[in-house]
Amino acid sequence: MSTKRVRVGLQLQPQHADYQTIRRTAAEAEEIGADIVFNWDHFYPLYGEPEGKHFECWTMLAAWAEQTSRVEIGALVTCNSYRNPELLADMARTVDHISDGRLILGIGSGWFEKDYDEYGYEFGTAGGRLDDLAGALPRIESRLAKLNPAPTRHIPVLIGGGGEKKTLRLVAKHADIWHGFGDVPTIERKVGILRQHCADVGRDPAEIEISCGVQGKPSEIGGQLRDLGVSLFTVGLGGPDYDLSALREWVAWRDEINA
């Protein structure tokens, strides 16, 4: 079982909705008590009408940094392919300052081929994109250490993905948070693999917060996931309307667990 306090996030997927609705929902999620509000880094909807309404990730995060006052914010996750690593570090540092130290730098290797094709990025292979991410993470760390002014805090790095050979090893080496997804047996297996990677690189796995995307009721899966070490539970919602009833339920469960 995790000894970390339970936290609850919302992935507010910026698809199929007007921005006014997205902005209002982010504010409501903060009022409900979410610990983190994430968006995602895509250029087109991932489901529903493929040419539906959609908004860009990092400009939105800067707006959320001004609009909100308590919740942490971040991308679940930034696609490493879309921005030079040094630029991304500078963007993250800037949003960190705008938000008074509430940014989480979520990052992954990328996978949605339509984004690449439509915006002129080379898609390549899954292995090649993971190799690019492995090369980018030290460059991001190096640039963050050089920027003036420096970030307001150590910006937590969240790595998303479940690849057992490459992704989880990158988590062991670089991440403060690992975000995974899948049923309870899947998370159990990947947590075990992550712990082995931590042993291989000399990292205490307790330093890494385990995050999981959740569907269903906390009374059904919350306890099982927490027993595996999960302490951050994230509800995903797409537009055009955002029903926050699941978020409310998970926040109430969190408050009971943390009491």
Side-chain angles (χ1 to χ4, degrees), residues 150-196:
T152 66
R153 63 169 182 168
H154 167 74
I155 299 174
V157 172
L158 177 155
I159 295 178
E164 297 175 0
K165 293 181 179 179
K166 291 187 176 182
T167 303
L168 292 179
R169 186 172 179 85
L170 291 176
V171 172
K173 293 177 67 175
H174 296 282
D176 301 286
I177 307 169
W178 169 60
H179 181 80
F181 37 86
D183 58 19
V184 171
T186 298
I187 296 298
E188 181 176 22
R189 185 181 73 254
K190 293 184 185 295
V191 167
I193 293 168
L194 175 58
R195 288 173 178 158
Q196 183 58 57

Coordinates of all heavy atoms in Angstrom, one line a residue, residues 150-196:
A150 N 15.5 31.0 -12.5 CA 15.3 29.6 -12.4 C 13.8 29.3 -12.1 O 13.0 30.2 -11.7 CB 16.1 29.1 -11.2
P151 N 13.4 28.1 -12.3 CA 12.0 27.7 -11.9 C 11.8 28.0 -10.4 O 12.8 28.1 -9.6 CB 12.0 26.2 -12.1 CG 13.0 25.9 -13.2 CD 14.1 26.9 -12.9
T152 N 10.6 28.1 -10.0 CA 10.3 28.5 -8.6 C 10.5 27.3 -7.7 O 10.6 27.4 -6.5 CB 8.8 28.9 -8.5 OG1 7.9 27.8 -8.7 CG2 8.5 30.1 -9.4
R153 N 10.5 26.1 -8.3 CA 10.7 24.8 -7.5 C 11.3 23.8 -8.4 O 11.4 24.0 -9.7 CB 9.4 24.3 -6.9 CG 8.4 23.9 -8.0 CD 7.2 23.2 -7.4 NE 6.2 22.8 -8.4 CZ 5.2 21.9 -8.2 NH1 5.0 21.4 -7.0 NH2 4.4 21.6 -9.1
H154 N 11.6 22.6 -7.9 CA 11.9 21.5 -8.8 C 10.6 21.2 -9.5 O 9.6 20.8 -8.8 CB 12.4 20.3 -8.0 CG 12.4 19.0 -8.8 ND1 13.3 18.8 -9.8 CD2 11.6 18.0 -8.7 CE1 13.0 17.6 -10.3 NE2 12.0 17.1 -9.7
I155 N 10.5 21.4 -10.8 CA 9.3 21.1 -11.5 C 9.1 19.5 -11.6 O 10.0 18.9 -12.2 CB 9.3 21.7 -12.9 CG1 9.4 23.2 -12.8 CG2 8.0 21.3 -13.7 CD1 9.5 23.9 -14.1
P156 N 8.1 19.0 -11.0 CA 7.9 17.5 -11.1 C 7.8 17.0 -12.5 O 7.0 17.6 -13.3 CB 6.6 17.3 -10.3 CG 6.4 18.5 -9.4 CD 7.0 19.6 -10.2
V157 N 8.5 16.0 -12.8 CA 8.4 15.4 -14.2 C 7.5 14.2 -14.1 O 7.8 13.2 -13.3 CB 9.8 15.0 -14.7 CG1 9.7 14.2 -16.0 CG2 10.6 16.3 -14.9
L158 N 6.5 14.1 -14.9 CA 5.6 13.0 -15.0 C 5.9 12.4 -16.4 O 5.8 13.0 -17.4 CB 4.2 13.4 -14.9 CG 3.1 12.3 -15.1 CD1 1.8 12.7 -14.3 CD2 2.7 12.0 -16.5
I159 N 6.2 11.1 -16.4 CA 6.3 10.3 -17.7 C 5.2 9.4 -17.8 O 4.9 8.6 -16.9 CB 7.7 9.6 -17.7 CG1 8.8 10.6 -17.7 CG2 7.7 8.7 -19.0 CD1 10.2 9.9 -17.7
G160 N 4.5 9.5 -18.9 CA 3.3 8.6 -19.2 C 3.7 7.5 -20.2 O 4.4 7.8 -21.2
G161 N 3.2 6.4 -19.9 CA 3.4 5.3 -20.9 C 3.7 4.0 -20.1 O 4.1 4.0 -19.0
G162 N 3.4 2.9 -20.8 CA 3.6 1.6 -20.1 C 4.6 0.7 -20.7 O 4.7 -0.5 -20.3
G163 N 5.4 1.1 -21.6 CA 6.4 0.3 -22.2 C 7.4 -0.3 -21.2 O 8.0 0.5 -20.4
E164 N 7.5 -1.6 -21.2 CA 8.2 -2.2 -20.0 C 9.7 -2.2 -20.1 O 10.4 -2.2 -19.1 CB 7.7 -3.6 -19.9 CG 6.2 -3.6 -19.5 CD 5.6 -5.0 -19.5 OE1 6.3 -6.0 -19.7 OE2 4.4 -5.1 -19.2
K165 N 10.3 -2.1 -21.4 CA 11.7 -2.1 -21.5 C 12.3 -0.7 -21.5 O 13.4 -0.5 -20.9 CB 12.1 -2.9 -22.8 CG 11.8 -4.4 -22.8 CD 12.2 -5.0 -24.1 CE 12.0 -6.5 -24.1 NZ 12.4 -7.2 -25.3
K166 N 11.7 0.2 -22.2 CA 12.3 1.5 -22.4 C 11.6 2.6 -21.5 O 12.2 3.3 -20.8 CB 12.3 1.9 -23.9 CG 13.2 1.1 -24.8 CD 13.2 1.7 -26.2 CE 14.2 1.0 -27.1 NZ 14.3 1.6 -28.4
T167 N 10.3 2.7 -21.6 CA 9.5 3.7 -20.9 C 9.7 3.6 -19.4 O 10.1 4.6 -18.8 CB 8.1 3.7 -21.3 OG1 7.9 3.8 -22.7 CG2 7.3 4.9 -20.6
L168 N 9.5 2.5 -18.9 CA 9.6 2.4 -17.4 C 11.0 2.5 -16.9 O 11.3 3.0 -15.8 CB 9.0 1.0 -17.0 CG 7.5 0.9 -17.2 CD1 7.0 -0.5 -16.7 CD2 6.8 2.0 -16.4
R169 N 12.0 2.2 -17.8 CA 13.4 2.5 -17.4 C 13.6 4.0 -17.4 O 14.3 4.5 -16.5 CB 14.4 1.8 -18.3 CG 15.8 2.0 -17.9 CD 16.8 1.1 -18.7 NE 18.2 1.3 -18.3 CZ 18.7 0.7 -17.3 NH1 18.0 -0.2 -16.6 NH2 20.0 0.9 -17.0
L170 N 13.1 4.8 -18.3 CA 13.2 6.2 -18.3 C 12.5 6.8 -17.1 O 13.0 7.8 -16.5 CB 12.5 6.8 -19.6 CG 13.3 6.6 -20.9 CD1 12.5 7.1 -22.0 CD2 14.7 7.2 -20.8
V171 N 11.4 6.2 -16.7 CA 10.7 6.6 -15.4 C 11.6 6.5 -14.3 O 11.8 7.4 -13.4 CB 9.4 5.8 -15.2 CG1 8.8 6.1 -13.8 CG2 8.4 6.1 -16.3
A172 N 12.3 5.3 -14.2 CA 13.2 5.0 -13.0 C 14.3 6.0 -13.0 O 14.8 6.4 -11.9 CB 13.7 3.6 -13.1
K173 N 14.8 6.5 -14.1 CA 15.9 7.4 -14.2 C 15.6 8.9 -14.0 O 16.4 9.6 -13.5 CB 16.7 7.2 -15.5 CG 17.3 5.9 -15.7 CD 18.0 5.7 -17.1 CE 19.2 6.6 -17.3 NZ 19.9 6.4 -18.6
H174 N 14.4 9.3 -14.5 CA 14.1 10.7 -14.6 C 12.8 11.2 -14.0 O 12.7 12.4 -13.7 CB 14.0 11.1 -16.1 CG 15.3 10.9 -16.9 ND1 16.3 11.7 -16.8 CD2 15.6 9.9 -17.8 CE1 17.3 11.3 -17.6 NE2 16.9 10.2 -18.2
A175 N 11.9 10.4 -13.7 CA 10.5 10.8 -13.3 C 10.3 11.0 -11.8 O 10.9 10.3 -11.0 CB 9.5 9.9 -13.9
D176 N 9.5 12.0 -11.5 CA 8.9 12.1 -10.2 C 7.6 11.4 -10.0 O 7.2 11.0 -9.0 CB 8.8 13.6 -9.8 CG 10.1 14.3 -9.9 OD1 10.9 14.1 -9.0 OD2 10.3 15.1 -10.9
I177 N 6.9 11.2 -11.2 CA 5.6 10.6 -11.2 C 5.6 9.7 -12.5 O 6.0 10.1 -13.5 CB 4.5 11.7 -11.4 CG1 4.6 12.7 -10.3 CG2 3.1 11.0 -11.3 CD1 3.6 13.9 -10.5
W178 N 5.0 8.5 -12.3 CA 4.8 7.6 -13.4 C 3.2 7.5 -13.6 O 2.5 7.2 -12.6 CB 5.3 6.2 -13.3 CG 4.8 5.3 -14.3 CD1 4.9 5.4 -15.7 CD2 4.0 4.1 -14.1 NE1 4.3 4.4 -16.3 CE2 3.7 3.6 -15.4 CE3 3.5 3.5 -13.0 CZ2 2.9 2.4 -15.6 CZ3 2.7 2.3 -13.2 CH2 2.4 1.8 -14.5
H179 N 2.8 7.8 -14.8 CA 1.4 7.6 -15.1 C 1.1 6.4 -16.0 O 1.7 6.3 -17.1 CB 0.8 8.9 -15.8 CG -0.7 8.7 -16.1 ND1 -1.7 8.9 -15.1 CD2 -1.4 8.4 -17.2 CE1 -2.9 8.7 -15.7 NE2 -2.7 8.4 -16.9
G180 N 0.3 5.5 -15.5 CA 0.0 4.3 -16.3 C -1.5 4.2 -16.4 O -2.3 5.0 -15.9
F181 N -1.9 3.1 -17.1 CA -3.3 2.9 -17.4 C -3.5 1.4 -17.6 O -2.6 0.7 -18.0 CB -3.8 3.7 -18.6 CG -2.8 3.8 -19.7 CD1 -2.7 2.8 -20.6 CD2 -1.9 4.8 -19.8 CE1 -1.8 2.8 -21.7 CE2 -1.0 4.9 -20.8 CZ -0.9 3.9 -21.7
G182 N -4.7 0.9 -17.4 CA -5.0 -0.5 -17.5 C -5.7 -1.0 -16.3 O -6.0 -0.3 -15.3
D183 N -6.1 -2.3 -16.3 CA -6.8 -2.9 -15.2 C -5.8 -3.2 -14.1 O -4.6 -3.0 -14.2 CB -7.5 -4.1 -15.6 CG -6.6 -5.2 -16.3 OD1 -5.4 -5.1 -16.1 OD2 -7.2 -6.1 -17.0
V184 N -6.3 -3.7 -13.0 CA -5.5 -3.9 -11.8 C -4.4 -4.9 -12.0 O -3.2 -4.6 -11.7 CB -6.4 -4.4 -10.6 CG1 -5.6 -4.8 -9.4 CG2 -7.4 -3.2 -10.2
P185 N -4.6 -6.0 -12.7 CA -3.4 -6.9 -13.0 C -2.4 -6.2 -13.8 O -1.2 -6.5 -13.6 CB -4.1 -8.1 -13.7 CG -5.5 -8.1 -13.2 CD -5.9 -6.7 -13.1
T186 N -2.8 -5.4 -14.8 CA -1.8 -4.7 -15.6 C -0.9 -3.8 -14.8 O 0.3 -3.7 -14.9 CB -2.5 -3.9 -16.8 OG1 -3.2 -4.9 -17.6 CG2 -1.5 -3.2 -17.6
I187 N -1.6 -3.0 -14.0 CA -0.8 -2.0 -13.1 C 0.1 -2.8 -12.2 O 1.2 -2.4 -12.0 CB -1.8 -1.1 -12.4 CG1 -2.6 -0.2 -13.3 CG2 -1.1 -0.2 -11.4 CD1 -1.8 0.7 -14.2
E188 N -0.4 -3.9 -11.6 CA 0.4 -4.7 -10.7 C 1.7 -5.1 -11.4 O 2.8 -5.0 -10.9 CB -0.4 -5.8 -10.2 CG 0.4 -6.7 -9.2 CD -0.4 -7.8 -8.6 OE1 -1.4 -8.2 -9.2 OE2 0.0 -8.3 -7.5
R189 N 1.6 -5.6 -12.6 CA 2.7 -6.1 -13.4 C 3.7 -5.0 -13.7 O 4.9 -5.1 -13.5 CB 2.3 -6.8 -14.7 CG 3.5 -7.4 -15.4 CD 3.1 -8.1 -16.7 NE 2.8 -7.1 -17.8 CZ 1.6 -6.9 -18.2 NH1 0.5 -7.5 -17.7 NH2 1.3 -6.0 -19.1
K190 N 3.2 -3.8 -14.1 CA 4.1 -2.7 -14.5 C 4.7 -2.1 -13.3 O 5.9 -1.6 -13.3 CB 3.3 -1.7 -15.3 CG 2.9 -2.3 -16.7 CD 2.2 -1.3 -17.6 CE 1.7 -2.0 -18.8 NZ 2.8 -2.5 -19.7
V191 N 4.0 -2.0 -12.1 CA 4.7 -1.5 -10.9 C 5.9 -2.4 -10.5 O 6.9 -1.9 -10.1 CB 3.6 -1.4 -9.8 CG1 4.3 -1.2 -8.4 CG2 2.7 -0.3 -10.1
G192 N 5.7 -3.7 -10.7 CA 6.8 -4.6 -10.4 C 8.0 -4.4 -11.3 O 9.1 -4.4 -10.8
I193 N 7.7 -4.2 -12.6 CA 8.8 -4.0 -13.5 C 9.5 -2.6 -13.2 O 10.7 -2.5 -13.3 CB 8.2 -4.0 -14.9 CG1 7.8 -5.5 -15.3 CG2 9.3 -3.5 -16.0 CD1 7.0 -5.6 -16.5
L194 N 8.7 -1.6 -12.9 CA 9.3 -0.3 -12.5 C 10.2 -0.5 -11.3 O 11.3 0.1 -11.3 CB 8.1 0.7 -12.3 CG 8.6 2.1 -11.8 CD1 9.6 2.7 -12.8 CD2 7.4 3.0 -11.5
R195 N 9.8 -1.2 -10.3 CA 10.6 -1.4 -9.2 C 11.9 -2.1 -9.5 O 13.0 -1.7 -9.0 CB 9.9 -2.2 -8.1 CG 8.7 -1.4 -7.4 CD 7.9 -2.2 -6.5 NE 6.9 -1.4 -5.9 CZ 5.8 -1.9 -5.3 NH1 5.5 -3.2 -5.4 NH2 4.9 -1.1 -4.8
Q196 N 11.9 -3.0 -10.5 CA 13.1 -3.7 -10.9 C 14.0 -2.7 -11.6 O 15.2 -2.7 -11.4 CB 12.8 -4.9 -11.8 CG 14.0 -5.6 -12.2 CD 14.8 -6.1 -11.0 OE1 14.3 -6.9 -10.2 NE2 16.1 -5.8 -10.9

